[in-house]
Amino acid sequence: MADALTAKGRATRDRIVGGAAEALREQGVSFTTLDDIRARTGTSKSQLFHYFPGGKDELLLAVARFEADRVLEDQQPHLGRLDSWESWQQWRDLVVERYELQGDHCPLGALFLQVGRSSTGARAIVTELMRQWQEQLARGVRALQAGGLVATSLDVERTAAALLAGIQGGVTIMMSTGDSTHLKAALDTGIDHLRDHGSVR
């Protein structure tokens, strides 16, 4: 549907998704109705169903994709230039800050609970988010290798996967306890692991 839209149509659809994301963040998924979203975005009922014929579930999936993209965007510019120890530390601090500000409210998690985490669409969004996130971490490890800061013998993909798993585990615990200690430990241990594999000059 989105691929077949005109530029004006894409802009309208994006406006609806962005407005819906704001409403869902403020009011929560369970308490936000399509009427709330229509009022927020200045959209008629026929217009809303034109862009999202599947109704609220289809719109929620679009918002979930939007929120997934924000997860990576919020880590920029540091995630995109992990080529020094300083940049890794800046990225680490940004990740901690993002999740501490978010607290126990995860818009993406709430959306997946609503549409069903095991649904085909939701699973595809999560899979793509994790793929892109791990890919950018792997690119950062390779940048350290290229700069002679990390040994080329280090398994890049395995290291990136472990970092990502540590972040996700730390965030899950933080959302349950309100304590970011485990998230910080996972990030610090992951970066220490990279430093321990520094190239011998």
Side-chain angles (χ1 to χ4, degrees), residues 24-29 99 101-108 110 175:
L24 292 164
R25 277 177 170 266
E26 292 174 12
Q27 300 171 214
V29 176
Y99 284 107
L101 287 173
Q102 178 179 282
D104 61 359
H105 174 65
C106 176
L108 192 57
M175 288 180 63

Side-chain angles (χ1 to χ4, degrees), residues 97-145:
E97 180 184 20
R98 178 190 191 278
Y99 284 107
E100 286 183 337
L101 287 173
Q102 178 179 282
D104 61 359
H105 174 65
C106 176
L108 192 57
L111 285 162
F112 287 142
L113 285 175
Q114 182 71 24
V115 299
R117 192 180 297 271
S118 61
S119 71
T120 303
R123 186 176 292 274
I125 292 170
V126 173
T127 299
E128 180 60 16
L129 168 60
M130 296 304 160
R131 185 195 67 77
Q132 290 187 31
W133 200 344
Q134 182 172 326
E135 186 177 86
Q136 294 205 46
L137 290 171
R139 188 178 300 130
V141 176
R142 291 192 185 94
L144 292 178
Q145 289 177 326

Side-chain angles (χ1 to χ4, degrees), residues 8-107:
K8 183 178 179 181
R10 282 194 297 273
T12 300
R13 186 181 187 280
D14 290 346
R15 176 172 57 80
I16 294 171
V17 172
E22 290 178 3
L24 292 164
R25 277 177 170 266
E26 292 174 12
Q27 300 171 214
V29 176
S30 301
F31 298 102
T32 305
T33 66
L34 286 180
D35 286 340
D36 293 329
I37 293 170
R38 290 198 302 105
R40 172 72 65 109
T41 59
T43 307
S44 67
K45 187 173 183 178
S46 61
Q47 195 175 26
L48 189 67
F49 279 93
H50 170 71
Y51 291 105
F52 302 96
K56 189 175 182 180
D57 283 351
E58 185 176 349
L59 176 56
L60 288 177
L61 274 176
V63 175
R65 188 170 288 107
F66 174 84
E67 292 287 6
D69 289 341
R70 282 187 58 169
V71 170
L72 298 181
E73 288 170 7
D74 286 351
Q75 296 176 54
Q76 301 299 348
H78 305 303
L79 181 61
R81 58 183 189 201
L82 296 172
D83 55 0
S84 68
W85 295 125
E86 181 183 8
S87 63
W88 276 86
Q89 186 64 41
Q90 290 172 334
W91 166 74
R92 176 265 189 210
D93 293 345
L94 190 66
V95 170
V96 171
E97 180 184 20
R98 178 190 191 278
Y99 284 107
E100 286 183 337
L101 287 173
Q102 178 179 282
D104 61 359
H105 174 65
C106 176

